[in-house]
Amino acid sequence: MIQHDVDGVRIDYGGETIPGPAFDPSHPASVPAPSSSSAFRPVMPSRQIVERQPRMLDFRVEYRDRNVDVVLEDSCTVGEIKQILENELQIPVSKMLLKGWKTGDVEDSTVLKSLHLPKNNSLYVLTPDLPPPSSSSHAGALQESLNQNFMLIITHREVQREYNLNFSGSSTIQEVKRNVYDLTSIPVRHQLWEGWPTSATDDSMCLAESGLSYPCHRLTVGRRASPAQTREQSEEQSTDVHMVSDSDGDDFEDASEFGVDDGEVFGMTSSALRKSPMMPENAENEGDALLQFTAEFSSRYGDCHPVFFIGSLEAAFQEAFYVKARDRKLLAIYLHHDESVLTNVFCSQMLCAESIVSYLSQNFITWAWDLTKDANRARFLTMCNRHFGSVVAQTIRTQKTDQFPLFLIIMGKRSSNEVLNVIQGNTTVDELMMRLMAAMEIFTAQQQEDIKDEDEREARENVKREQDEAYRLSLEADRAKREAHEREMAEQFRLEQIRKEQEEEREAIRLSLEQALPPEPKEENAEPVSKLRIRTPSGEFLERRFLASNKLQIVFDFVASKGFPWDEFKLLSTFPRRDMKQPRYREEKKLDRGLGKPKDTKSRNAWPKFT
């Protein structure tokens, strides 16, 4: 048998069995100090006669913003891991809680092999007795913490039930409490907490800056004791930090802490307050919800109250902002919460004061919403995020219950909506009036600028409209002239066509008459011949010989064949003056009967006048 000492551990070679390495927690020399963030347990040299190869386990240990890798044999103990971490993290073993074991908390003497651990393991270190480290780069560390996730192991004291909840570092303590309310049905103001760090003094504080242990922190929550017990224990527990939401003002305290129920303070029981909700939960139509809100508000606080706008928030925007600048008003959003101890005082003594009601009616559009129900609260936060941005939504989300009711003063500023003021419920009538008037002064100054800009814009638009109208009239006049000219040309063309057709028709008639005339007789003719000389209106003369036996119609046809239709002209004899178109002459069948018997039967000159 060969004996060999390695770092104070004796190993025998040559026997049938080889005992595992022994560890003495009181002997710090048995664990060498690592030189980096990764520490390794010395591995004993192996021989062919060794029956079992030691199993190595990998551990990643998280502590705040550091990760330490530890590799050990499964024959080592939990205490050895803590000693390695003591050298790496400079944290005494006595102040260190090593968490993350699958089987729950383990003792330092527990051998790793007995825990049946996998090859790779994740653990974390808690130091509840050590204050959080201070650093010059606190801002950078805080920003990094905001992006981290915290696991809160919250124990419900009454039912002994444990909840593992993950929250981002940017979540607030108020959000944690509201989530716990959903799980335990304990209202936020009735929650009694244990385990919050002493630096966590405000519910609006985010988890990253509250001093919680990362990545895991244990808390305990229970229901606040009865009023009598609370009164007896108030002095003993005055130094404890329970993170109960309180009002910012000193005039209003949580009545349950002094043994008086909220309903007794304001002359009504808690059941009466919740008997008829101000607004139905999950209302599909905002207008219907506001109708119920107005009716319930009147039944509780009387008819002297602001006139609440009935309709959606978008409709209220249209009524207040999207009108002419002279008609615009501020928008006041009243956020109601039945669980706040300030609600009844604010509504009955301030919101229903005649001076406040009158001022709001003259200068504001007032819209209301009830945040008592979680569904209605979530719905309003969604509307708020859409219309005002995430900053305003986050501000309302982090408001404590006893800071309600809230009064939001909104001003429509060009393309955006600006929140001028957020008025909490712990105020007085005079202070409320002063803040409303201050908001009105800001709005009036902005309104005057808007009126001026609107007047200038309207003046420019009027000039442009006048120019456009003049241009339109000019175009219409030009179009009318063009159309009149076109009509005139069309009429001229039509008349010309008619004239041409008439001329063609007259020419055709003239030619037919000319062709139908009997041949002109010669001067020497066996029958008596009359020679007619006819003067035209232009002074020219037409001469032709006719037989005395010819009908007078032939003379008319002759004259018509020369372009003087008998229906347009008169044929007159000179002496005696007679109108040949008269029926008694036209009916004469022979020329000598119509014009008179000639003296010379051979030839006769007549001088009829043609007009």
Side-chain angles (χ1 to χ4, degrees):
M1 181 177 294
I2 301 173
Q3 293 183 351
H4 182 67
D5 292 338
V6 179
D7 292 338
V9 179
R10 193 175 75 175
I11 301 178
D12 296 334
Y13 298 92
E16 295 182 358
T17 61
I18 299 178
F23 173 75
D24 185 3
S26 63
H27 198 314
S30 62
V31 181
S35 58
S36 66
S37 62
S38 179
F40 297 87
R41 175 70 179 173
V43 181
M44 300 301 106
S46 62
R47 298 291 179 91
Q48 296 295 328
I49 59 175
V50 176
E51 296 181 357
R52 184 183 63 83
Q53 183 73 21
R55 183 168 178 261
M56 307 304 295
L57 301 177
D58 296 335
F59 296 92
R60 166 155 288 194
V61 184
E62 297 183 5
Y63 176 68
R64 292 182 176 166
D65 57 345
R66 291 190 59 186
N67 292 323
V68 178
D69 293 328
V70 179
V71 180
L72 285 175
E73 294 180 2
D74 60 356
S75 59
C76 296
T77 63
V78 175
E80 292 185 63
I81 300 178
K82 287 189 175 182
Q83 288 192 353
I84 294 174
L85 294 175
E86 181 181 17
N87 294 329
E88 288 293 327
L89 303 176
Q90 303 300 318
I91 299 174
V93 174
S94 60
K95 302 290 186 181
M96 186 188 307
L97 297 178
L98 191 57
K99 300 291 184 178
W101 303 104
K102 303 296 183 182
T103 58
D105 294 340
V106 297
E107 301 292 336
D108 290 354
S109 59
T110 305
V111 179
L112 299 178
K113 181 165 56 177
S114 65
L115 299 177
H116 305 289
L117 299 174
K119 172 67 175 175
N120 298 311
N121 301 273
S122 296
L123 304 175
Y124 57 90
V125 174
L126 299 181
T127 55
D129 297 332
L130 295 180
S134 59
S135 173
S136 59
S137 60
H138 176 70
L142 177 60
Q143 183 61 36
E144 183 178 353
S145 298
L146 290 173
N147 299 325
Q148 294 175 338
N149 288 329
F150 290 80
M151 175 179 284
L152 300 184
I153 303 175
I154 301 174
T155 302
H156 186 184
R157 186 186 302 111
E158 283 77 10
V159 298
Q160 289 300 311
R161 184 174 179 180
E162 195 172 84
Y163 301 97
N164 295 330
L165 305 178
N166 284 313
F167 292 92
S168 65
S170 59
S171 300
T172 63
I173 297 175
Q174 183 75 11
E175 293 177 7
V176 174
K177 293 185 175 183
R178 293 194 179 280
N179 277 272
V180 171
Y181 166 62
D182 294 335
L183 295 173
T184 63
S185 299
I186 303 176
V188 174
R189 61 195 188 91
H190 292 307
Q191 294 172 5
L192 187 62
W193 289 87
E194 293 179 0
W196 289 104
T198 56
S199 58
T201 58
D202 190 352
D203 281 1
S204 62
M205 183 181 295
C206 63
L207 300 183
E209 60 182 355
S210 64
L212 292 177
S213 299
Y214 178 80
C216 180
H217 192 90
R218 284 188 172 274
L219 297 169
T220 302
V221 64
R223 183 177 292 273
R224 184 174 294 277
S226 62
Q229 295 175 345
T230 304
R231 185 167 54 251
E232 293 173 358
Q233 299 175 2
S234 59
E235 294 182 358
E236 298 177 4
Q237 299 179 352
S238 59
T239 58
D240 293 340
V241 179
H242 298 310
M243 295 302 295
V244 177
S245 299
D246 297 325
S247 170
D248 288 344
D250 297 328
D251 297 334
F252 303 93
E253 297 291 341
D254 193 335
S256 62
E257 294 184 4
F258 294 92
V260 182
D261 188 77
D262 297 341
E264 296 176 2
V265 174
F266 299 104
M268 59 184 71
T269 62
S270 177
S271 61
L273 285 173
R274 293 173 174 80
K275 185 176 182 180
S276 297
M278 294 292 291
M279 184 175 290
E281 192 171 8
N282 294 321
E284 296 182 0
N285 187 281
E286 295 177 12
D288 296 339
L290 266 297
L291 283 174
Q292 177 173 329
F293 183 93
T294 303
E296 181 64 22
F297 194 95
S298 299
S299 66
R300 291 188 188 184
Y301 308 109
D303 294 331
C304 182
H305 61 75
V307 179
F308 297 115
F309 181 84
I310 306 300
S312 64
L313 185 57
E314 290 81 359
F317 287 154
Q318 294 287 340
E319 183 75 14
F321 306 145
Y322 301 118
V323 292
K324 286 187 173 295
R326 288 179 173 82
D327 300 330
R328 292 174 191 166
K329 292 185 178 182
L330 285 171
L331 177 62
I333 299 180
Y334 169 66
L335 300 180
H336 186 89
H337 203 302
D338 270 338
E339 293 184 2
S340 174
V341 297
L342 303 178
T343 297
N344 292 292
V345 173
F346 183 85
C347 292
S348 60
Q349 299 184 12
M350 280 161 275
L351 196 58
C352 292
E354 292 186 3
S355 58
I356 299 296
V357 172
S358 176
Y359 195 77
L360 287 175
S361 300
Q362 293 177 6
N363 304 290
F364 291 80
I365 298 296
T366 306
W367 190 82
W369 197 256
D370 182 21
L371 302 184
T372 306
K373 302 293 185 181
D374 291 340
N376 292 338
R377 178 186 181 89
R379 184 172 180 176
F380 177 77
L381 290 176
T382 301
M383 291 188 290
C384 187
N385 190 70
R386 181 169 66 251
H387 295 294
F388 309 129
S390 58
V391 176
V392 178
Q394 180 66 16
T395 301
I396 297 174
R397 184 180 290 108
T398 57
Q399 293 293 316
K400 305 171 186 177
T401 300
D402 288 342
Q403 289 176 328
F404 284 91
L406 296 181
F407 223 53
L408 275 63
I409 308 301
I410 314 296
M411 180 176 71
K413 191 174 182 180
R414 293 180 172 88
S415 60
S416 62
N417 301 320
E418 180 181 355
V419 179
L420 294 181
N421 209 336
V422 178
I423 304 174
Q424 296 179 349
N426 55 340
T427 185
T428 62
V429 174
D430 293 340
E431 183 179 356
L432 177 60
M433 178 61 76
M434 290 178 61
R435 298 180 74 169
L436 292 177
M437 294 176 66
M440 193 63 195
E441 290 180 3
I442 299 175
F443 169 74
T444 302
Q446 181 63 48
Q447 186 183 35
Q448 294 302 320
E449 295 181 6
D450 293 343
I451 291 174
K452 181 180 177 182
D453 294 342
E454 190 176 81
D455 290 343
E456 293 176 353
R457 183 171 58 254
E458 288 184 354
R460 292 193 299 269
E461 291 177 353
N462 288 335
V463 172
K464 186 176 181 300
R465 279 196 297 270
E466 292 175 357
Q467 293 175 346
D468 293 344
E469 182 66 15
Y471 180 69
R472 185 185 65 81
L473 293 176
S474 175
L475 290 179
E476 289 183 354
D478 293 342
R479 183 169 59 252
K481 289 181 180 179
R482 184 171 61 254
E483 291 176 353
H485 178 70
E486 291 175 354
R487 287 194 300 270
E488 182 180 355
M489 295 298 295
E491 182 66 16
Q492 290 180 358
F493 179 78
R494 187 182 68 83
L495 296 176
E496 183 69 17
Q497 289 295 110
I498 294 174
R499 185 184 64 79
K500 288 182 178 180
E501 291 175 358
Q502 292 176 348
E503 287 182 354
E504 292 175 356
E505 183 180 1
R506 291 172 63 181
E507 181 66 16
I509 294 173
R510 187 190 69 79
L511 290 176
S512 65
L513 292 176
E514 186 177 17
Q515 293 175 1
L517 289 175
E520 183 179 4
K522 296 180 181 180
E523 291 184 359
E524 299 295 333
N525 197 328
E527 296 183 15
V529 176
S530 295
K531 184 178 182 180
L532 300 181
R533 188 178 187 187
I534 304 171
R535 187 178 66 184
T536 65
S538 61
E540 297 179 358
F541 290 93
L542 301 176
E543 293 184 359
R544 192 181 189 280
R545 292 183 294 275
F546 297 90
L547 292 175
S549 60
N550 289 147
K551 295 181 179 180
L552 188 59
Q553 183 63 41
I554 294 177
V555 178
F556 285 103
D557 292 343
F558 168 73
V559 174
S561 67
K562 297 301 180 179
F564 302 99
W566 63 269
D567 56 344
E568 297 180 7
F569 298 91
K570 292 180 179 181
L571 185 61
L572 303 175
S573 62
T574 54
F575 184 84
R577 187 179 178 85
R578 290 178 295 181
D579 184 2
M580 297 292 105
K581 291 179 65 176
Q582 292 181 3
R584 61 194 182 100
Y585 297 114
R586 289 180 59 189
E587 292 176 356
E588 294 293 337
K589 294 182 178 181
K590 293 185 179 181
L591 187 63
D592 56 354
R593 296 289 299 271
L595 296 177
K597 188 176 180 179
K599 295 179 180 180
D600 186 359
T601 58
K602 291 287 185 178
S603 176
R604 178 173 175 266
N605 292 327
W607 305 94
K609 182 179 180 182
F610 184 58
T611 58

